[in-house]
Amino acid sequence: MKLECFRNAARSFAKNRGSLGLAIVMLFAGIAANSVMAGPAQDTNTAQSGSAKFERSFALAAGGTIAVENRKGTIRVTGSDGNKVTIRVEKRISGGTEKQREEWIATTKVNFANEANRVTVRVEYPDINCTFCANTEDEVDLIIAAPREVNLELSSTKSAIEVKGTSGRVRVDTEKGSVRLEGVTANGLRVSSQNADTIIATKSITGDVDVETEKGSIVLRVPSTVGLNLDYHGGAKAIFSCDFPVTINGEGTELRNVSGRAGRNRTHITGKVNQGGPQVILRTSKGSVSIENAP
């Protein structure tokens, strides 16, 4: 359409201006034609990426155990109805060449085992000595649907770990990822990290809780109907806060509006919160610990 318009213009111009005008206009028409045929400019700097997805399912009765080891990416577990566990896997990589991405996808292994009412998932990343690795990002995401009554053993280096709607024991070991436990019944809960940020939101604590971090943050959100026996340990640079009064001895002495750095040296606070209950141990060297009211 644009080319025909230029040609019509050329004929009109030539009629009035002669052959020289025709030559000039036809020259511009040729340039326009090349532009139309070439189309819009392409962005040659588009980021390259690759991925692979698959799913596996195993029978798992209520009260069974799921053990996961994935040093990076996502580990997400959601409690659901039924007696099986379904694991959706996605390997993702960006950067590098197409050949390098294909090699990484092929050599990154996700191993499964199912025995004695226990499902194990272990991600093995390739040990590749490459010069392009500084410009790549790779990880494996594990999205798991499990029976609500399930015990979890989750191990990572820097994964984002999320657990929602389960009621069994939970054990998490990580270095610097994030940990979020939401809508869980804390029936024996242990989280250990170096500088991960941990959030635990629960309406029921039926077993002991032990959460430790060196430099990260710990947030425990419970309603006023949940009682616990607090055992807090904090370093000189640690920060502690509690929305509830803490009864620190048998005579009913209470610490109210507890916040900030409680002392210059290591601080140890023990006492009952909301009339007491299971033992809750919260420890940090240089991070922060807070117990928050969650109506």
Side-chain angles (χ1 to χ4, degrees):
M1 179 67 73
K2 292 181 179 179
L3 183 58
E4 185 62 27
C5 290
F6 272 104
R7 286 173 176 167
N8 292 336
R11 295 190 186 98
S12 176
F13 191 92
K15 183 176 180 180
N16 296 299
R17 298 294 182 181
S19 59
L20 177 61
L22 175 62
I24 294 173
V25 174
M26 290 305 291
L27 175 62
F28 281 100
I31 295 174
N34 290 334
S35 176
V36 171
M37 293 176 65
Q42 299 296 317
D43 182 6
T44 60
N45 296 321
T46 302
Q48 301 297 311
S49 62
S51 66
K53 300 178 182 180
F54 64 94
E55 183 177 295
R56 294 287 299 273
S57 295
F58 303 92
L60 186 70
T65 299
I66 300 175
V68 180
E69 183 179 336
N70 183 21
R71 61 186 176 89
K72 54 184 175 180
T74 298
I75 303 173
R76 181 180 303 147
V77 183
T78 303
S80 59
D81 297 329
N83 291 324
K84 73 173 184 178
V85 53
T86 301
I87 305 108
R88 290 192 291 115
V89 179
E90 182 175 4
K91 304 176 185 179
R92 295 188 289 111
I93 181 171
S94 61
T97 66
E98 182 177 359
K99 181 179 179 180
Q100 290 164 336
R101 294 191 297 272
E102 290 176 350
E103 179 183 2
W104 180 88
I105 290 174
T107 55
T108 298
K109 304 298 183 182
V110 182
N111 301 315
F112 302 91
N114 181 21
E115 56 184 2
N117 209 28
R118 179 185 178 91
V119 174
T120 302
V121 185
R122 185 171 184 268
V123 181
E124 293 184 1
Y125 292 87
D127 186 12
I128 300 176
N129 185 14
C130 58
T131 57
F132 79 96
C133 292
N135 298 320
T136 64
E137 294 184 3
D138 59 81
E139 61 185 22
V140 176
D141 295 336
L142 302 173
I143 312 301
I144 302 171
R148 298 188 190 281
E149 187 181 341
V150 65
N151 302 313
L152 300 173
E153 300 172 3
L154 310 178
S155 177
S156 171
T157 300
K158 55 179 181 179
S159 292
I161 298 176
E162 303 174 19
V163 178
K164 186 175 183 179
T166 66
S167 61
R169 297 188 307 274
V170 179
R171 176 171 179 171
V172 177
D173 290 292
T174 187
E175 289 186 18
K176 56 181 180 180
S178 61
V179 180
R180 186 177 183 92
L181 312 179
E182 183 178 353
V184 299
T185 298
N187 181 19
L189 189 156
R190 181 183 181 277
V191 179
S192 178
S193 77
Q194 183 176 348
N195 59 358
D197 293 328
T198 300
I199 297 176
I200 302 170
T202 180
K203 294 185 178 181
S204 177
I205 299 177
T206 60
D208 292 345
V209 174
D210 189 342
V211 186
E212 178 180 12
T213 183
E214 183 178 347
K215 300 177 182 178
S217 63
I218 300 171
V219 177
L220 175 62
R221 293 177 180 151
V222 296
S224 59
T225 55
V226 173
L228 56 94
N229 290 340
L230 174 65
D231 189 347
Y232 163 75
H233 299 257
K237 295 183 179 181
I239 297 176
F240 176 80
S241 65
C242 182
D243 288 350
F244 308 104
V246 181
T247 303
I248 60 174
N249 57 38
E251 298 177 357
T253 303
E254 293 184 343
L255 295 177
R256 293 180 177 271
N257 300 320
V258 181
S259 63
R261 295 186 175 91
R264 294 183 179 180
N265 299 317
R266 293 187 62 85
T267 300
H268 185 198
I269 299 174
T270 59
K272 293 182 178 182
V273 175
N274 298 332
Q275 309 304 315
Q279 186 178 45
V280 174
I281 301 173
L282 306 174
R283 293 174 288 183
T284 183
S285 297
K286 301 177 182 179
S288 63
V289 172
S290 61
I291 302 175
E292 300 179 356
N293 186 4

mmCIF file of all heavy atoms in Angstrom, residues 44-61:
data_model
loop_
_atom_site.group_PDB
_atom_site.id
_atom_site.type_symbol
_atom_site.label_atom_id
_atom_site.label_comp_id
_atom_site.label_asym_id
_atom_site.label_seq_id
_atom_site.Cartn_x
_atom_site.Cartn_y
_atom_site.Cartn_z
ATOM 1 N N THR A 44 18.322 -7.499 19.115
ATOM 2 C CA THR A 44 19.234 -8.647 19.148
ATOM 3 C C THR A 44 19.744 -8.948 20.545
ATOM 4 O O THR A 44 20.497 -9.890 20.737
ATOM 5 C CB THR A 44 20.434 -8.390 18.223
ATOM 6 O OG1 THR A 44 21.118 -7.210 18.670
ATOM 7 C CG2 THR A 44 19.979 -8.200 16.789
ATOM 8 N N ASN A 45 19.333 -8.169 21.563
ATOM 9 C CA ASN A 45 19.816 -8.362 22.926
ATOM 10 C C ASN A 45 18.786 -9.036 23.822
ATOM 11 O O ASN A 45 18.848 -8.933 25.041
ATOM 12 C CB ASN A 45 20.215 -7.005 23.533
ATOM 13 C CG ASN A 45 21.382 -6.383 22.794
ATOM 14 O OD1 ASN A 45 22.304 -7.096 22.397
ATOM 15 N ND2 ASN A 45 21.336 -5.078 22.599
ATOM 16 N N THR A 46 17.792 -9.696 23.222
ATOM 17 C CA THR A 46 16.761 -10.357 24.007
ATOM 18 C C THR A 46 17.366 -11.460 24.871
ATOM 19 O O THR A 46 18.147 -12.276 24.395
ATOM 20 C CB THR A 46 15.698 -10.964 23.078
ATOM 21 O OG1 THR A 46 15.153 -9.909 22.286
ATOM 22 C CG2 THR A 46 14.578 -11.614 23.891
ATOM 23 N N ALA A 47 17.012 -11.502 26.149
ATOM 24 C CA ALA A 47 17.555 -12.515 27.053
ATOM 25 C C ALA A 47 17.104 -13.899 26.620
ATOM 26 O O ALA A 47 15.969 -14.102 26.222
ATOM 27 C CB ALA A 47 17.105 -12.230 28.482
ATOM 28 N N GLN A 48 18.007 -14.863 26.699
ATOM 29 C CA GLN A 48 17.725 -16.231 26.312
ATOM 30 C C GLN A 48 17.517 -17.067 27.570
ATOM 31 O O GLN A 48 18.213 -16.888 28.562
ATOM 32 C CB GLN A 48 18.885 -16.796 25.486
ATOM 33 C CG GLN A 48 19.180 -16.018 24.219
ATOM 34 C CD GLN A 48 18.008 -16.050 23.242
ATOM 35 O OE1 GLN A 48 17.473 -17.110 22.948
ATOM 36 N NE2 GLN A 48 17.622 -14.891 22.747
ATOM 37 N N SER A 49 16.582 -18.002 27.502
ATOM 38 C CA SER A 49 16.308 -18.844 28.666
ATOM 39 C C SER A 49 15.821 -20.199 28.205
ATOM 40 O O SER A 49 15.445 -20.401 27.044
ATOM 41 C CB SER A 49 15.261 -18.195 29.583
ATOM 42 O OG SER A 49 14.027 -18.049 28.896
ATOM 43 N N GLY A 50 15.845 -21.147 29.129
ATOM 44 C CA GLY A 50 15.363 -22.481 28.843
ATOM 45 C C GLY A 50 14.715 -23.064 30.081
ATOM 46 O O GLY A 50 15.011 -22.655 31.206
ATOM 47 N N SER A 51 13.800 -24.018 29.891
ATOM 48 C CA SER A 51 13.140 -24.648 31.028
ATOM 49 C C SER A 51 12.650 -26.030 30.632
ATOM 50 O O SER A 51 12.532 -26.354 29.451
ATOM 51 C CB SER A 51 11.958 -23.796 31.520
ATOM 52 O OG SER A 51 10.945 -23.740 30.529
ATOM 53 N N ALA A 52 12.398 -26.832 31.657
ATOM 54 C CA ALA A 52 11.832 -28.165 31.458
ATOM 55 C C ALA A 52 10.925 -28.466 32.635
ATOM 56 O O ALA A 52 11.278 -28.198 33.787
ATOM 57 C CB ALA A 52 12.940 -29.207 31.340
ATOM 58 N N LYS A 53 9.738 -29.014 32.359
ATOM 59 C CA LYS A 53 8.761 -29.286 33.399
ATOM 60 C C LYS A 53 8.331 -30.751 33.341
ATOM 61 O O LYS A 53 8.206 -31.326 32.259
ATOM 62 C CB LYS A 53 7.524 -28.400 33.240
ATOM 63 C CG LYS A 53 7.792 -26.904 33.304
ATOM 64 C CD LYS A 53 6.498 -26.130 33.095
ATOM 65 C CE LYS A 53 6.733 -24.625 33.097
ATOM 66 N NZ LYS A 53 5.469 -23.876 32.889
ATOM 67 N N PHE A 54 8.085 -31.316 34.520
ATOM 68 C CA PHE A 54 7.470 -32.638 34.587
ATOM 69 C C PHE A 54 6.867 -32.837 35.974
ATOM 70 O O PHE A 54 7.058 -32.004 36.872
ATOM 71 C CB PHE A 54 8.471 -33.753 34.261
ATOM 72 C CG PHE A 54 9.616 -33.877 35.233
ATOM 73 C CD1 PHE A 54 9.560 -34.767 36.294
ATOM 74 C CD2 PHE A 54 10.770 -33.123 35.059
ATOM 75 C CE1 PHE A 54 10.611 -34.894 37.179
ATOM 76 C CE2 PHE A 54 11.837 -33.240 35.947
ATOM 77 C CZ PHE A 54 11.752 -34.135 37.009
ATOM 78 N N GLU A 55 6.144 -33.916 36.156
ATOM 79 C CA GLU A 55 5.404 -34.160 37.401
ATOM 80 C C GLU A 55 5.508 -35.632 37.781
ATOM 81 O O GLU A 55 5.482 -36.516 36.922
ATOM 82 C CB GLU A 55 3.941 -33.764 37.202
ATOM 83 C CG GLU A 55 3.054 -33.897 38.418
ATOM 84 C CD GLU A 55 1.646 -33.422 38.150
ATOM 85 O OE1 GLU A 55 1.472 -32.204 37.893
ATOM 86 O OE2 GLU A 55 0.719 -34.268 38.173
ATOM 87 N N ARG A 56 5.609 -35.874 39.104
ATOM 88 C CA ARG A 56 5.630 -37.243 39.615
ATOM 89 C C ARG A 56 4.670 -37.331 40.814
ATOM 90 O O ARG A 56 4.516 -36.371 41.573
ATOM 91 C CB ARG A 56 7.036 -37.638 40.086
ATOM 92 C CG ARG A 56 8.059 -37.715 38.980
ATOM 93 C CD ARG A 56 7.871 -38.918 38.088
ATOM 94 N NE ARG A 56 7.986 -40.167 38.814
ATOM 95 C CZ ARG A 56 9.148 -40.797 39.036
ATOM 96 N NH1 ARG A 56 10.285 -40.264 38.592
ATOM 97 N NH2 ARG A 56 9.176 -41.941 39.685
ATOM 98 N N SER A 57 4.031 -38.508 40.974
ATOM 99 C CA SER A 57 3.102 -38.731 42.084
ATOM 100 C C SER A 57 3.425 -40.049 42.773
ATOM 101 O O SER A 57 3.842 -41.019 42.125
ATOM 102 C CB SER A 57 1.655 -38.747 41.589
ATOM 103 O OG SER A 57 1.281 -37.485 41.071
ATOM 104 N N PHE A 58 3.215 -40.082 44.108
ATOM 105 C CA PHE A 58 3.465 -41.278 44.903
ATOM 106 C C PHE A 58 2.366 -41.409 45.950
ATOM 107 O O PHE A 58 1.853 -40.404 46.468
ATOM 108 C CB PHE A 58 4.824 -41.205 45.612
ATOM 109 C CG PHE A 58 5.988 -41.003 44.692
ATOM 110 C CD1 PHE A 58 6.448 -39.717 44.409
ATOM 111 C CD2 PHE A 58 6.620 -42.080 44.102
ATOM 112 C CE1 PHE A 58 7.525 -39.517 43.562
ATOM 113 C CE2 PHE A 58 7.698 -41.898 43.249
ATOM 114 C CZ PHE A 58 8.152 -40.607 42.974
ATOM 115 N N ALA A 59 2.045 -42.632 46.296
ATOM 116 C CA ALA A 59 1.114 -42.861 47.398
ATOM 117 C C ALA A 59 1.805 -42.510 48.716
ATOM 118 O O ALA A 59 2.973 -42.824 48.917
ATOM 119 C CB ALA A 59 0.664 -44.321 47.411
ATOM 120 N N LEU A 60 1.063 -41.859 49.605
ATOM 121 C CA LEU A 60 1.605 -41.504 50.912
ATOM 122 C C LEU A 60 0.452 -41.371 51.893
ATOM 123 O O LEU A 60 -0.396 -40.496 51.757
ATOM 124 C CB LEU A 60 2.387 -40.181 50.852
ATOM 125 C CG LEU A 60 3.130 -39.790 52.128
ATOM 126 C CD1 LEU A 60 4.324 -40.724 52.356
ATOM 127 C CD2 LEU A 60 3.612 -38.341 52.077
ATOM 128 N N ALA A 61 0.427 -42.229 52.883
ATOM 129 C CA ALA A 61 -0.651 -42.200 53.862
ATOM 130 C C ALA A 61 -0.464 -41.039 54.824
ATOM 131 O O ALA A 61 0.634 -40.487 54.974
ATOM 132 C CB ALA A 61 -0.685 -43.517 54.637
#
